[in-house]
Amino acid sequence: MYQPNMFDTHHQLLDKATGSYKTESEMGKMRVEDEFESSRSATENLDVLSGDDQDPKQKTKRKRYHRHTQHQIQELEAFFKECPHPDDKQRKELSRRLNLEPLQVKFWFQNKRTQMKAHHERSENQQLRTENDRLRADNIRFKEAISNATCPNCGGPAALGEMSFDEQHLRIENARLREEIDRISTIAAKFVGKPLVAYPNLPPHQPSRSLDLGVGHYGPPPGMLGGDMYGGGPSDLLRTFTGPSEADKPMIVELAVAAMEELIRMAQAGEPLWIPSADNSTEVLSEEEYFRTFPRGIGLTPLGLKSEASRSSGIMIMNHVNLVEILMDVNQWSSVFSGIVSRAMTLEVLSTGVAGNYNGALQVMTAEFQVPSPLVPTRENYFVRYCKQHGDGTWAVVDVSLDNLHHGTMPRCRRRPSGCVIQEMQNGYSKVMWVEHVEVDDRPAHNMYHALVNSGLAFGAQRWIATLERQCERLASLMASNIPSVDGGVITSPEGRKSMMKLAERMVMSFCSGVGASTANTWTTVSGSGVDDVRVMTRKSMDDPGRPPGIVLSAATSFWMPVTPKRVFDFLRDENSRNEWDILSNGGLVQEMAHIANGRDPGNSVSLLRVNSANSTQSNMLILQESCTDSTGSYVIYAPVDIVAMNVVLSGGDPDYVALLPSGFAILPDGPSLSHGSGIIGGGGTGGSLLTVAFQILVDSVPTAKLSLGSIATINNLIKCTVERIKAAVMIENP
């Protein structure tokens, strides 16, 4: 990557390069017989320095050189790497240790520094020459393009500089009239039902497929997960989005620039745009003031959608460069926010940025946002993401919907300018202000989750900030090398620690992608379970080293508990209480073999558990578990692991080839938090917990096998018994 001042003017590059070549030639004359090894003796150098007192005959004598031994060279080279400019004390110590004169050491370091400078200048020369060639080629290409320019209106050769003012005015007016005709024609076509553009046909809404049990089909509840009013099933939405056409790209750029300006003002403004609540705990966006302040944008709120706006800020233990990279790399973004982003894809990169960074980067993307429960529909968005560097160490990343480019369906969710402003701090940390502003139809969500969704905790800015803070702490723990081990010698190296944390990260991502109502998941409701509806889903695993081959059966259910989320989280993550709810442990003693803290909260950790079976004839089982918590929700996720494979991971081996089937719990508040302590909350729906339980079991190692009713009954009973045990244990401990 070149320094920015190299691009001030390319006309001086050859002169600068030529000057550097001259310096290199002069440096070649200064080299002695051995570049790395020669140095003058102390007496000889003293003679050279006092040349006025020398005998003229002595000046004509050939200079004598001292050739260092291989050991001396190695020692000097090693010291040079640590300290290229030793002081007098260090030079004397080196001379004493290597049996050299101090001046010999001094001149050796001078020669070495001169040699390194010549090497760097030679490298810079090559870079300048390459850049100069590139600029020359660009210059030639631009000249050819200008000479071959054509008129965009008539297709003939363009007469540059020869067009009169009147002709220019007529051409501009002609282009404006053409745009006006196209716009009116489009509006008229909508009213007569004959669109001008042929959009891809959407297949009719397909209900959830059956599990091939031969006993009929269990469809989703009425009104859940989309409907005909949106022009097709939700599973079709992300698949219909494609990259923008060439005609749309100028409009996308203009929209992104306006969205960036709006985001900055939304992040910095106070009243009357943002109205604080009575206790100053939250802020509410004034819709009237918003449309007065930002008359441009993506238009008025469509009928049937309601506005959700929130903002939140936090201090991240990560520099601004890494934060921007996470947000602009779709894979890193999906990984860090795996609890919120169930699927994401970059359709087209319109600009990669300038000067080797993401300043000016522009991407067209699709994403699906989720809550970890099958009862809350996901929110699909088609948007452009724009990154820009502002003054005083400030960066901003903004998203804005492009649904106006796709007229075939009515969007169920639109993103008005949303994103974050990142402010660099002196200690290497960053201050992040997040703004989330969407228009959405939240009616399909289950009544149990309405308070959570309406409060903004489900999809709002507070959840993005809390997740980013927790993930920054986790990444800092992953990169740290000086954290003491608390595992009794199970983890013997930093590499083993990193491998175990990466395996846990993959486990968490796999769980989050399979527990929500993502349109990639085909849930089927099983009735008559005795608890809240249990939803099951099958997956065929083939040629995936991270999953066991065969048919995997997933089951999930969500229910409300009149206990605070913290109490439920502490109970489920504690290995000492695991045998109270974990049927697979068979009442055995659970022991924590290794523990890795990955955050300031003691609940954020990765553990390796061993289940000592009560039956001596059964082998012990290892369980990998990660627990994480923040102000907007908590997770306890675990998976049985093979002992041999885990030993490879603990020794620093590749964790990607360890087969995992994660299960676990997602714990969310049922609404805005209140100070109720850790006891039972009244049934008013505030202060309790929304608990989602999700299991995965391998029902057959043959991917082509048929699923049996017995497998459904097994996982249904497993999830039913687990829910009953959790309720009984928590309610007993909180009378």
Side-chain angles (χ1 to χ4, degrees):
M1 180 169 59
Y2 306 112
Q3 297 295 329
N5 58 9
M6 292 183 184
F7 296 91
D8 291 343
T9 169
H10 65 271
H11 299 292
Q12 301 177 2
L13 289 175
L14 278 174
D15 294 339
K16 185 173 181 180
T18 305
S20 299
Y21 300 147
K22 180 179 178 181
T23 304
E24 179 180 346
S25 175
E26 292 174 354
M27 296 312 305
K29 296 179 181 179
M30 296 174 62
R31 295 194 186 94
V32 293
E33 285 182 342
D34 189 354
E35 288 183 338
F36 296 92
E37 304 166 6
S38 62
S39 157
R40 289 168 287 189
S41 67
T43 305
E44 290 167 348
N45 283 289
L46 287 173
D47 291 342
V48 172
L49 293 174
S50 57
D52 295 337
D53 299 330
Q54 289 181 351
D55 192 322
K57 296 180 180 180
Q58 292 179 349
K59 294 183 180 180
T60 61
K61 292 182 180 179
R62 178 181 174 85
K63 293 185 175 66
R64 293 174 297 163
Y65 297 97
H66 171 77
R67 184 177 295 276
H68 299 316
T69 66
Q70 188 67 25
H71 171 70
Q72 291 172 335
I73 294 173
Q74 291 176 351
E75 292 291 322
L76 290 169
E77 291 280 1
F79 195 89
F80 184 84
K81 292 180 180 179
E82 299 294 330
C83 180
H85 294 273
D87 55 22
D88 290 337
K89 182 178 180 181
Q90 291 172 319
R91 288 198 297 269
K92 288 179 181 179
E93 175 62 22
L94 273 174
S95 64
R96 182 191 62 78
R97 191 171 43 162
L98 301 178
N99 196 23
L100 294 172
E101 293 293 333
L103 280 179
Q104 287 181 291
V105 176
K106 175 181 178 181
F107 289 125
W108 187 93
F109 275 90
Q110 287 179 350
N111 292 339
K112 184 66 176 177
R113 289 194 296 268
T114 301
Q115 176 201 349
M116 295 301 295
K117 181 180 178 182
H119 175 74
H120 291 155
E121 289 179 346
R122 194 159 52 244
S123 176
E124 185 179 77
N125 272 343
Q126 183 61 36
Q127 293 178 353
L128 292 173
R129 184 186 293 110
T130 302
E131 179 66 14
N132 196 46
D133 293 340
R134 187 186 67 80
L135 292 173
R136 185 182 292 110
D138 287 347
N139 204 0
I140 295 173
R141 181 166 55 85
F142 292 149
K143 287 181 179 179
E144 292 176 353
I146 292 174
S147 64
N148 298 326
T150 59
C151 176
N153 295 320
C154 65
L160 300 178
E162 300 178 1
M163 188 181 299
S164 66
F165 175 81
D166 291 338
E167 187 176 356
Q168 290 180 359
H169 180 74
L170 288 174
R171 290 182 182 275
I172 293 173
E173 183 68 12
N174 188 31
R176 187 188 67 79
L177 291 174
R178 286 179 180 273
E179 292 178 357
E180 185 72 11
I181 291 173
D182 292 341
R183 186 177 65 84
I184 295 174
S185 299
T186 302
I187 295 174
K190 290 181 181 179
F191 281 101
V192 299
K194 297 179 181 179
L196 298 177
V197 182
Y199 296 102
N201 292 327
L202 296 175
H205 174 60
Q206 297 291 335
S208 302
R209 63 177 178 85
S210 67
L211 295 173
D212 197 17
L213 299 176
V215 293
H217 167 74
Y218 298 98
M224 294 293 293
L225 305 183
D228 294 336
M229 66 175 294
Y230 303 111
S235 60
D236 302 320
L237 293 180
L238 290 185
R239 299 173 189 172
T240 60
F241 294 135
T242 57
S245 64
E246 291 298 324
D248 291 332
K249 290 179 181 179
M251 186 188 71
I252 292 175
V253 173
E254 182 180 355
L255 183 62
V257 172
M260 177 62 70
E261 180 183 353
E262 179 175 325
L263 174 70
I264 297 297
R265 295 177 65 183
M266 288 278 285
Q268 297 175 350
E271 295 187 69
L273 186 61
W274 292 95
I275 303 174
S277 61
D279 57 355
N280 290 323
S281 60
T282 59
E283 294 176 307
V284 178
L285 180 67
S286 171
E287 292 291 325
E288 180 180 355
E289 186 66 26
Y290 171 79
F291 285 108
R292 184 185 299 114
T293 307
F294 306 106
R296 300 172 58 193
I298 59 176
L300 298 176
T301 304
L303 185 65
L305 303 186
K306 75 164 194 172
S307 175
E308 290 182 5
S310 59
R311 68 176 180 177
S312 183
S313 63
I315 304 298
M316 309 299 161
I317 54 174
M318 181 179 289
N319 63 57
H320 63 290
V321 176
N322 291 338
L323 284 175
V324 169
E325 182 177 356
I326 287 174
L327 296 172
M328 298 306 296
D329 185 326
V330 66
N331 293 323
Q332 293 191 55
W333 180 60
S334 302
S335 173
V336 169
F337 296 101
S338 59
I340 305 175
V341 182
S342 55
R343 289 190 297 166
M345 178 171 53
T346 300
L347 297 178
E348 186 170 347
V349 177
L350 303 183
S351 172
T352 58
V354 296
N357 56 41
Y358 286 104
N359 183 25
L362 200 66
Q363 304 174 1
V364 177
M365 305 174 62
T366 61
E368 185 181 50
F369 306 104
Q370 69 168 359
V371 169
S373 170
L375 299 183
V376 182
T378 56
R379 297 179 175 182
E380 300 86 7
N381 284 121
Y382 172 60
F383 58 94
V384 60
R385 174 164 293 178
Y386 178 41
C387 177
K388 182 176 175 58
Q389 181 180 11
H390 300 267
D392 58 19
T394 302
W395 289 73
V397 178
V398 65
D399 299 342
V400 62
S401 281
L402 299 176
D403 300 289
N404 292 337
L405 302 183
H406 288 259
H407 306 285
T409 60
M410 171 184 169
R412 194 168 60 84
C413 178
R414 295 202 313 172
R415 285 178 75 76
R416 287 192 177 272
S418 303
C420 63
V421 179
I422 305 171
Q423 178 69 49
E424 178 185 5
M425 300 178 68
Q426 294 182 352
N427 57 359
Y429 292 5
S430 303
K431 181 179 180 180
V432 178
M433 170 65 77
W434 201 289
V435 175
E436 199 67 16
H437 190 189
V438 300
E439 293 164 339
V440 63
D441 179 9
D442 63 346
R443 287 175 297 176
H446 195 282
N447 290 335
M448 190 164 54
Y449 282 85
H450 271 173
L452 177 69
V453 173
N454 292 337
S455 69
L457 292 178
F459 295 97
Q462 184 179 350
R463 188 177 177 210
W464 288 94
I465 284 291
T467 302
L468 185 58
E469 285 180 338
R470 173 167 51 80
Q471 291 286 30
C472 285
E473 292 179 2
R474 193 187 195 283
L475 290 172
S477 176
L478 177 65
M479 302 305 297
S481 58
N482 57 350
I483 296 180
S485 177
V486 192
D487 50 46
V490 174
I491 305 176
T492 58
S493 66
E495 292 76 15
R497 182 176 178 275
K498 288 184 178 181
S499 294
M500 181 171 164
M501 291 190 67
K502 289 181 179 179
L503 180 61
E505 179 185 25
R506 179 162 66 85
M507 176 182 68
V508 172
M509 292 178 60
S510 176
F511 175 84
C512 291
S513 65
V515 72
S518 171
T519 53
N521 302 333
T522 307
W523 292 105
T524 297
T525 303
V526 179
S527 303
S529 62
V531 294
D532 292 337
D533 287 342
V534 175
R535 286 165 174 78
V536 295
M537 172 178 58
T538 56
R539 295 179 180 176
K540 292 182 180 180
S541 177
M542 299 175 63
D543 302 325
D544 185 355
R547 291 178 178 271
I551 295 182
V552 177
L553 182 60
S554 303
T557 186
S558 299
F559 58 95
W560 179 81
M561 293 183 66
V563 183
T564 60
K566 184 180 185 308
R567 175 70 197 101
V568 178
F569 173 69
D570 289 340
F571 171 76
L572 293 174
R573 74 180 182 90
D574 187 1
E575 71 273 10
N576 295 321
S577 59
R578 188 180 188 94
N579 55 14
E580 297 184 38
W581 59 264
D582 189 1
I583 300 174
L584 299 179
S585 64
N586 293 322
L589 178 65
V590 180
Q591 177 186 2
E592 186 178 56
M593 299 177 60
H595 180 93
I596 301 175
N598 56 10
R600 288 173 291 187
D601 193 296
N604 293 330
S605 64
V606 177
S607 304
L608 184 63
L609 309 177
R610 179 173 61 191
V611 180
N612 299 314
S613 176
N615 188 349
S616 59
T617 61
Q618 296 181 356
S619 59
N620 294 335
M621 178 175 59
L622 292 182
I623 296 176
L624 179 67
Q625 175 178 294
E626 174 156 355
S627 59
C628 49
T629 183
D630 57 53
S631 60
T632 62
S634 307
Y635 296 88
V636 177
I637 303 168
Y638 62 92
V641 290
D642 180 71
I643 295 178
V644 176
M646 199 64 209
N647 285 331
V648 174
V649 172
L650 293 175
S651 61
D654 188 358
D656 291 338
Y657 293 93
V658 179
L660 292 175
L661 281 180
S663 301
F665 309 93
I667 310 151
L668 302 176
D670 63 356
S673 60
L674 298 175
S675 300
H676 289 287
S678 59
I680 291 182
I681 306 302
T686 301
S689 303
L690 297 171
L691 179 61
T692 297
V693 184
F695 290 151
Q696 292 190 85
I697 61 173
L698 182 67
V699 297
D700 201 308
S701 59
V702 179
T704 58
K706 297 290 184 180
L707 190 64
S708 65
L709 284 172
S711 301
I712 297 290
T714 298
I715 199 166
N716 191 34
N717 291 333
L718 175 64
I719 205 167
K720 172 184 175 181
C721 293
T722 302
V723 169
E724 291 177 349
R725 287 190 175 196
I726 292 173
K727 287 183 175 180
V730 173
M731 300 298 285
I732 288 176
E733 295 185 13
N734 292 272

